[in-house]
Amino acid sequence: MKSVIFAALSLSTLVSSHWTNTGDWVNIRKTNNFDSQAPVTDVTSIDLRCYTSQTNAVASTATVEAGSTIGIEADGPIYHPGVINVYMAKAPDNNVASWDGDGTVWFKVFQISAVTDGGQTITFPGTGITTVNFAIPKNLPSGQYLVHTEQIALHVASTFGGAQFYLSCAQVNVTNGGTGTPGPLVAIPGVYTGYEPGILINIYDPVPANYTQPGPVS
């Protein structure tokens, strides 16, 4: 199934391993920037979580199997240089449609980082793609989850608040899960201060010798 959301990139379609399309904003909550492509730049804002403070949107919940690959599809190629993180959080009472993702409940399941070579070049494999594909952890307990996908655009990130977050939240019901304990757990907002070396960074001159992906390990 498919349902994407990126905002300059507006992730509005979610895609399962069967690659059938359910349409924009079906399984992904419609974000504030659905018609503007404006990013979130304040890492303390509640909009860093699902970006729905104006739309107050909920979505339909897609059923996916633990261990399967799904994707979040953008409304066009991701064109700003930057990195990608995917987080999940289990809804209390197995009711994701009525939950806003509050609390220290999020864990990272996937990332696409930058590639460096000691200061000669820095490249961003997440640039130019249209779909972020990732596996639902095989041992993830069954239940309903929010899936937060973000691209952190770094083209003007050399000053505080310059990094641009393009993001969305999808709703999924994970079946045939395991008995794993996901972690480490973080809050969104709260996971970033904005001063992380992978968020407050000049990617041009001098070229960074290395890159540290923001957020916990996946």
Side-chain angles (χ1 to χ4, degrees):
M1 48 179 63
K2 177 179 180 181
S3 115
V4 180
I5 299 178
F6 248 147
L9 295 187
S10 178
L11 292 164
S12 54
T13 307
L14 176 70
V15 186
S16 79
S17 56
H18 297 290
W19 302 105
T20 55
N21 191 346
T22 61
D24 292 351
W25 310 114
V26 175
N27 303 122
I28 292 178
R29 296 179 178 182
K30 193 171 188 177
T31 50
N32 295 352
N33 65 347
F34 70 93
D35 62 352
S36 71
Q37 296 193 337
V40 176
T41 56
D42 179 0
V43 297
T44 68
S45 169
I46 192 66
D47 274 330
L48 191 69
R49 186 181 301 156
C50 291
Y51 207 3
T52 55
S53 62
Q54 297 173 19
T55 62
N56 297 309
V58 295
S60 297
T61 303
T63 297
V64 298
E65 285 197 30
S68 66
T69 296
I70 66 172
I72 304 295
E73 183 180 280
D75 61 359
I78 297 173
Y79 54 86
H80 291 314
V83 299
I84 291 168
N85 287 321
V86 180
Y87 295 86
M88 295 182 69
K90 194 173 191 297
D93 303 320
N94 214 33
N95 187 3
V96 70
S98 64
W99 187 51
D100 65 358
D102 186 34
T104 306
V105 292
W106 295 89
F107 52 94
K108 190 188 287 187
V109 296
F110 181 72
Q111 65 183 36
I112 302 176
S113 193
V115 177
T116 60
D117 58 5
Q120 296 300 308
T121 63
I122 183 169
T123 58
F124 299 93
T127 301
I129 66 175
T130 57
T131 305
V132 179
N133 299 309
F134 58 95
I136 301 293
K138 188 174 182 61
N139 290 327
L140 191 68
S142 297
Q144 296 192 3
Y145 291 79
L146 282 175
V147 180
H148 164 106
T149 305
E150 63 186 25
Q151 192 234 7
I152 309 175
L154 301 173
H155 56 297
V156 289
S158 58
T159 58
F160 181 78
Q164 298 178 354
F165 291 75
Y166 297 99
L167 61 99
S168 67
C169 283
Q171 296 176 198
V172 298
N173 179 44
V174 176
T175 60
N176 297 321
T179 58
T181 303
L185 301 179
V186 297
I188 303 176
V191 60
Y192 309 129
T193 66
Y195 290 99
E196 289 80 3
I199 292 178
L200 180 58
I201 183 174
N202 180 347
I203 63 173
Y204 300 109
D205 187 19
V207 175
N210 50 61
Y211 181 82
T212 303
Q213 184 79 0
V217 297
S218 57

